[in-house]
Amino acid sequence: MKTNDVIMQFTAKIVFFIIFFYAVHIFFAGHYTPGGGFVGGLVTASAIVLLIIAFDLKTVQSILPINYIYLVACGLIISLGTAAFSMFVDKPFFTHFFDYFNLPILGKTSLHTAALFDLGVYLVVVGVTMTIIQTIGEDE
Amino acid sequence: MSFQILLNLFLAFLWMFLSSNYSLSRFIIGYLLGLLVIIALRKFFKTRLYIDRVWAVIKLIVLFIKELILANVSVLTLVIKPKLDIKPAIFKYDTQLTEDWEITLLSSLITLTPGTVVVHVSDDAKSLFIHVIDSNDIDETIDSIKYSFEKAILEVSRS
């Protein structure tokens, strides 16, 4: 007996975007204000979990066909690559670089390799959380 | 409707390019001029003007705020009455709304005005089950939903 939860599904569809945008904002705010890759990843995972609660596991897997184990691997490779890059230019492991660039639209922006490392952390957190939740959820 | 908004934006950009002045004030002037042109040529469009729909949305918001205040006052009078003579009930309300967002909006409006709570949407999405705090004037409740909220939402959604 499938009940009609039209209110829940419609609200989840809208709220998903709000939560996801907030997660991206928190990810980029991590350098000067509270936030960063870990929290951003958890908030993104919670947005996907909201979709899973409103619909069901198979629907969400067909909407977002992501293999979360590969996502963890990609995140680890990005983080390790960022950390290991400094060894090729005769600096100690984990040395970060930053500089100011004049980008076409954003103007003067400081780009920091710590953001790349954080991106790796973000992907790992999303992947691990979603893998745990999907594995538990699929247990029939 | 979306075509009219796109056309209006296009006219605003055209105005900016004509005056080769790319500031926000120019854009707003161009947008208002485009709106005037679209209103003047309303006979050419198959659907109604989008500004009508914006006006309907504003009316719906005002109606909601008014209903919220009135309903809260009525619940306050129920609470501070020394004698509690209420008869709670759940009744079925047949709606004529079809779209998902319409049903969600109507349910949220009914739930946010005190005294009534939507507990379930039927499986064919044709009727709502509403819990009402005082079933003495149930027909009045149905009428007030039908002729205020549902009418306003239909006003927004009709093409």
Side-chain angles (χ1 to χ4, degrees), chain B residues 23-155:
Chain B
S23 64
L24 184 67
S25 63
R26 273 284 145 184
F27 181 81
I28 292 171
I29 291 169
Y31 194 88
L32 292 176
L33 278 171
L35 194 60
L36 274 179
V37 171
I38 286 173
I39 291 173
L41 300 179
R42 64 196 312 166
K43 286 274 179 284
F44 288 151
F45 298 112
K46 286 187 180 67
T47 53
R48 57 198 266 245
L49 287 179
Y50 80 92
I51 204 77
D52 265 7
R53 232 177 248 209
V54 174
W55 180 239
V57 170
I58 293 169
K59 276 204 289 201
L60 180 63
I61 293 168
V62 170
L63 172 85
F64 167 64
I65 292 169
K66 189 195 87 183
E67 287 282 330
L68 187 66
I69 293 166
L70 286 177
N72 270 301
V73 168
S74 73
V75 169
L76 180 71
T77 54
L78 276 182
V79 169
I80 59 178
K81 259 184 198 165
K83 228 170 130 283
L84 203 64
D85 57 345
I86 56 171
K87 288 213 293 283
I90 291 181
F91 68 94
K92 184 164 163 241
Y93 173 76
D94 294 325
T95 176
Q96 44 182 330
L97 302 175
T98 48
E99 299 288 325
D100 278 3
W101 67 269
E102 291 171 342
I103 292 167
T104 309
L105 185 62
L106 181 69
S107 309
S108 308
L109 289 174
I110 291 170
T111 306
L112 281 169
T113 48
T116 45
V117 177
V118 175
V119 287
H120 185 64
V121 183
S122 72
D123 290 348
D124 54 359
K126 281 193 171 60
S127 47
L128 310 173
F129 292 93
I130 302 174
H131 180 272
V132 65
I133 199 168
D134 196 357
S135 59
N136 293 325
D137 49 358
I138 214 159
D139 297 331
E140 202 181 309
T141 314
I142 291 177
D143 281 354
S144 77
I145 293 170
K146 197 186 276 301
Y147 294 114
S148 62
F149 288 143
E150 200 166 51
K151 205 161 129 266
I153 292 173
L154 282 171
E155 191 66 30

Side-chain angles (χ1 to χ4, degrees), chain A residues 40-76:
Chain A
L42 281 181
V43 173
T44 309
S46 74
I48 302 173
V49 169
L50 175 73
L51 279 187
I52 291 177
I53 291 171
F55 295 87
D56 52 41
L57 211 53
K58 285 193 171 58
T59 319
V60 176
Q61 274 171 348
S62 65
I63 294 170
L64 299 167
I66 303 167
N67 190 337
Y68 292 104
I69 295 171
Y70 289 168
L71 203 67
V72 175
C74 286
L76 285 173

Side-chain angles (χ1 to χ4, degrees), chain A residues 28 100-111:
Chain A
F28 281 114
Y100 292 95
F101 294 94
N102 271 319
L103 295 179
I105 295 169
L106 299 167
K108 191 181 173 198
T109 323
S110 105
L111 294 179

Side-chain angles (χ1 to χ4, degrees), chain A residues 1-7 9-11 13, chain B residues 100-101 103-104 107 120-125:
Chain A
M1 178 65 200
K2 190 89 181 75
T3 55
N4 183 2
D5 38 14
V6 57
I7 300 173
Q9 288 180 354
F10 181 79
T11 317
K13 268 186 258 182
Chain B
D100 278 3
W101 67 269
I103 292 167
T104 309
S107 309
H120 185 64
V121 183
S122 72
D123 290 348
D124 54 359

